[in-house]
Amino acid sequence: MQCMFSEKSISSNIWKYYLVTSLAQFAFYVPIIQIFYLNRNLSILDIALLGIVWTITKMIFELPSSILADKWQRKGTLIISSSFSILQVVTLLFATQYSLFILASIFSAISYAFQSGTDVAFFYDTLKTQGKEEQFDRLWARQSLYQQTPLFISLLASGFLYQISPLFPFQVSLLFLIVSFIISCTFKEPPIHKPLEENSFWGHLQGATRSVFNNVQL
């Protein structure tokens, strides 16, 4: 009975994940972000540097975030990702100095790094707990379908929201991100992977880093 309850509880991860990712797609600020930067008197060089900062930050956090996903559980890592998405938008809402725009770019990259790969493992482990891993490709593909409607709405409405106020797209997006964060906190950790031992993080990180730099293609 306990096992059945556990599997039923874990199965809710699937529809909750669809909901979390769909809500996050109501990012009304994304289509107008470049215009917003220009409105805040950033130059083309300033905007380009933000992209460089984002890329470097993502590269730095990509490996550690993957390891921490095993150490802190996948649910916790996804919650961290959602938290940094919120921090990014809040920072942009109050950004008046270039340093704050850089900070927002860093928050965005960290959010992406903590989600990258972890979401796939979390989704797959949830299905594996239920013995449905053969359905992974089909169910994973559905998220793209579910995200199309909020993405289309964001693209269509972002310009109208920006005309009301340059900050309005960020404010509306923040509401959806907060709801998405709250739902992500209700995820159930699938008991598939074994968390890393307390003293294995740095060894794992060093080994993974060596693998990256020793791989000619990478």
Side-chain angles (χ1 to χ4, degrees):
M1 186 70 179
Q2 179 66 27
C3 181
M4 292 177 60
F5 174 80
S6 178
E7 289 185 5
K8 182 179 180 181
S9 179
I10 289 176
S11 67
S12 67
N13 283 345
I14 303 301
W15 68 263
K16 287 179 181 178
Y17 180 80
Y18 289 149
L19 185 57
V20 164
T21 54
S22 296
L23 288 171
Q25 286 299 313
F26 284 104
F28 297 95
Y29 64 93
V30 172
I32 53 86
I33 189 66
Q34 307 296 337
I35 300 176
F36 176 77
Y37 287 151
L38 294 174
N39 178 268
R40 290 298 185 264
N41 298 318
L42 270 65
S43 67
I44 299 300
L45 177 59
D46 291 335
I47 298 173
L49 289 176
L50 292 179
I52 294 174
V53 169
W54 189 95
T55 302
I56 293 175
T57 304
K58 176 183 174 297
M59 292 175 62
I60 292 174
F61 280 89
E62 191 72 41
L63 283 176
S65 64
S66 300
I67 298 172
L68 290 176
D70 289 330
K71 185 177 178 62
W72 289 347
Q73 299 184 337
R74 312 266 164 82
K75 171 186 173 180
T77 307
L78 292 175
I79 291 175
I80 292 174
S81 173
S82 182
S83 300
F84 275 101
S85 290
I86 293 175
L87 286 174
Q88 176 207 3
V89 175
V90 171
T91 303
L92 287 173
L93 278 171
F94 295 97
T96 55
Q97 299 177 344
Y98 188 62
S99 59
L100 290 178
F101 288 103
I102 293 178
L103 185 61
S105 185
I106 292 174
F107 286 157
S108 174
I110 294 176
S111 173
Y112 186 90
F114 271 88
Q115 181 181 3
S116 177
T118 303
D119 52 358
V120 178
F122 175 80
F123 198 93
Y124 180 83
D125 283 354
T126 295
L127 293 175
K128 188 173 182 180
T129 301
Q130 306 170 74
K132 299 179 180 179
E133 59 267 34
E134 74 282 353
Q135 301 181 31
F136 171 78
D137 290 338
R138 177 174 60 85
L139 295 178
W140 181 254
R142 283 185 182 179
Q143 69 162 329
S144 297
L145 178 63
Y146 294 145
Q147 291 175 14
Q148 293 307 307
T149 298
L151 180 61
F152 176 76
I153 293 174
S154 298
L155 292 172
L156 187 64
S158 60
F160 295 101
L161 296 178
Y162 184 83
Q163 286 183 338
I164 296 174
S165 168
L167 295 178
F168 200 38
F170 298 90
Q171 295 167 338
V172 177
S173 300
L174 181 60
L175 295 177
F176 284 99
L177 285 175
I178 291 174
V179 175
S180 177
F181 169 81
I182 294 173
I183 297 174
S184 67
C185 290
T186 67
F187 283 148
K188 304 298 181 182
E189 182 72 17
I192 296 298
H193 71 285
K194 180 180 179 181
L196 293 175
E197 297 298 330
E198 194 67 29
N199 60 354
S200 66
F201 172 78
W202 292 111
H204 194 164
L205 179 60
Q206 291 172 5
T209 303
R210 284 195 298 268
S211 297
V212 170
F213 283 99
N214 291 334
N215 187 306
V216 177
Q217 293 180 336
L218 289 178

